[in-house]
């Protein structure tokens, strides 16, 4: 199946700093990518839908000014956590859909990025 | 998208078949049943999906009841590496955003 990568796989930062997480589709072009957040022992929660060349669509309760999403190319979407605080510590996962595979195809998920804010 | 109900946890002996149930009694005619799994500290992995016919691939089999209100994911010969959280998701065909809504899933523990 298609491969989605994330970088970094883990990051530790100080409170108040910004952290950028990259999501790449390695062997296909993804017009749409999704960003999820997962707290310990909880399920994945969709944060936003990232569309190439346009503004991201954020889920209710997700601050767009805090979680900046940029989808500048068909293979790369970035999530920047601005002014991170300890409560932002979580597992961030992206996924991408391969439009060439049809409307009903599965989404491909990245391996996740574990963010720890001290 | 229709809501799904899964048991929070299940155990299975290594080498035996693991049968994971999912209830989706409010499923609509245009909604598919998808199964993903998430091994600890990894991203979810697609397993299988189906509409109304039973499906099989190299990973698992999906059995959907005739009324489509429930389904069962079958791992025919579970191994220790199949220990994971298994998510059953129902998604409409015309879901333009193609987003997936994850429920609580079933934590499958395969034991030696």
């Amino acid at each position: 199946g298609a491969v989605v990568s994330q970088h970094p796989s883990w990051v530790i930062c100080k409170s108040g700093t910004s952290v950028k997480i990259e999501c790449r589709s390695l062997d296909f072009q993804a017009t749409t990518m999704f960003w999820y957040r997962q707290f310990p022992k909880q399920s994945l929660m969709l944060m936003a839908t990232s569309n190439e060349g346009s503004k991201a669509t954020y889920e209710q309760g997700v601050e767009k000014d805090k979680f900046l999403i940029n989808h500048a190319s068909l293979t790369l979407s970035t999530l920047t956590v601005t002014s991170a605080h300890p409560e932002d510590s979580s597992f961030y996962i992206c996924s991408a859909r391969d439009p060439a595979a049809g409307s009903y195809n599965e989404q491909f998920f990245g391996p996740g990025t574990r963010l720890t804010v001290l | 998208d229709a809501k799904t109900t899964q048991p929070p946890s299940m155990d299975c002996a290594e080498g035996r078949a693991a049968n994971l149930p999912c209830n989706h009694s409010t499923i609509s005619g245009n909604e598919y049943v998808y199964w993903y799994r998430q091994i600890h500290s990894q991203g979810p992995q697609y397993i299988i999906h189906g509409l109304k016919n039973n499906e099989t691939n190299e990973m698992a089999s999906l059995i959907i009841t005739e009324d489509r209100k429930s389904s069962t994911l079958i791992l025919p010969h579970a191994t220790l590496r199949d220990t994971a959280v298994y998510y059953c998701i129902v998604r409409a065909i015309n879901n333009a955003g193609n987003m997936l809504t994850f429920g609580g899933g079933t934590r499958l523990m395969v034991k030696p």
Side-chain angles (χ1 to χ4, degrees), chain A residues 51-62:
Chain A
N51 299 296
E52 187 269 336
S54 64
K55 291 183 178 180
T57 303
Y58 291 81
E59 295 301 300
Q60 190 173 10
V62 178

Side-chain angles (χ1 to χ4, degrees), chain A residues 1-2 8 10 12 19 22 24 34 61 71 74 87 106 112 116-117:
Chain A
W10 59 271
I12 301 173
V19 175
E22 295 183 349
R24 294 181 185 273
F34 304 90
H71 193 158
L74 287 171
E87 57 266 31
E106 67 277 19
T116 302
V117 185

Side-chain angles (χ1 to χ4, degrees), chain A residues 5-8 19-24 33-35 48-51 56 58 64 66-73 75-81 94:
Chain A
S5 71
Q6 283 185 240
H7 179 80
V19 175
K20 179 185 286 187
I21 302 170
E22 295 183 349
C23 176
R24 294 181 185 273
M33 291 183 174
F34 304 90
W35 287 96
T49 301
S50 170
N51 299 296
Y58 291 81
K64 62 180 182 180
K66 180 170 181 62
F67 298 100
L68 301 179
I69 292 174
N70 185 286
H71 193 158
S73 78
T75 59
L76 173 65
S77 175
T78 60
L79 169 68
T80 301
V81 183
C94 72

